[in-house]
Amino acid sequence: MDTFIIKSKEELTNYHFENDKLLFLEYLDHQDHDEYTCDLYYNKQHELKCIVPRKRIEVRDGEVNKGVTCRNELVDHLKEKLSFMDGAVGCITAQFFMHKESNQIYGIELNARFGGGYPLSYLAGANFPKWIFEEYYQKKELADQFDVWEDNLLMLRYDNEVLVHGYKG
């Protein structure tokens, strides 16, 4: 609702300028950009210890149906730009667009939570729950974990029915 893709100045109307609730943002076309969700792990000292970029190949209702882990430019970029984030601990989920030709990176979202696609990062080897347990309960200091996960691991999701015979409530 009230979302517009404006491709030329002629498409702008008084409604766009007079509505204080509208925001103007650069449109990043999926034809030109790949979309990534990155699972970032921060230790208790707010230091970045792991980055797993997951390319969003197919999305349905905001959920990734098809995704793949990608060791690409995002890893070095995020190591440089987000190596320390005051207040960040545990899992941070961040979303980015990367231009397919220039590799220019645009950050669009940052969430302090496990994202819905985290199971792919986990199955690739980024075991955030284990690291949280080791840091907080076993008082271990976590080493860098940038190379522990499997690159190019594809995850496909699908819907399936579950039938329970004789269910009585």
Side-chain angles (χ1 to χ4, degrees), residues 42 58 66 71 75 120 123 127 140 149 161:
Y42 283 86
E58 187 176 296
K66 191 182 296 182
R71 194 176 308 275
V75 174
L120 174 55
L123 294 169
N127 193 342
K140 291 184 179 178
W149 56 273
E161 297 83 21

Side-chain angles (χ1 to χ4, degrees), residues 49-50 52 71 124-127 131 144-150:
K49 293 295 180 177
C50 186
V52 183
R71 194 176 308 275
N127 193 342
W131 301 339
D144 287 350
Q145 303 291 326
F146 296 109
D147 296 322
V148 300
W149 56 273
E150 181 181 348

Side-chain angles (χ1 to χ4, degrees), residues 26-44:
E26 181 179 356
Y27 178 66
L28 302 172
D29 195 322
H30 282 90
Q31 298 286 2
D32 302 323
H33 300 82
D34 288 321
E35 187 175 0
Y36 293 88
T37 299
C38 295
D39 292 312
L40 312 173
Y41 186 86
Y42 283 86
N43 69 5
K44 293 193 310 187

Side-chain angles (χ1 to χ4, degrees), residues 60-118:
R60 182 179 53 145
D61 297 330
E63 288 294 319
V64 177
N65 276 5
K66 191 182 296 182
V68 63
T69 58
C70 295
R71 194 176 308 275
N72 59 22
E73 291 83 356
L74 276 166
V75 174
D76 289 335
H77 180 78
L78 296 176
K79 273 185 184 179
E80 177 188 334
K81 302 292 184 184
L82 297 178
S83 64
F84 176 86
M85 193 165 25
D86 196 21
V89 291
C91 185
I92 303 290
T93 301
Q95 286 186 255
F96 300 89
F97 279 87
M98 188 163 58
H99 194 274
K100 291 178 180 182
E101 292 179 14
S102 71
N103 290 336
Q104 184 170 357
I105 296 168
Y106 300 85
I108 62 166
E109 194 171 330
L110 189 65
N111 295 293
R113 63 176 170 82
F114 284 85
Y118 171 73

Side-chain angles (χ1 to χ4, degrees), residues 134-145:
E134 289 176 347
E135 274 198 283
Y136 288 88
Y137 292 102
Q138 296 179 339
K139 308 295 184 208
K140 291 184 179 178
E141 192 164 319
L142 186 66
D144 287 350
Q145 303 291 326

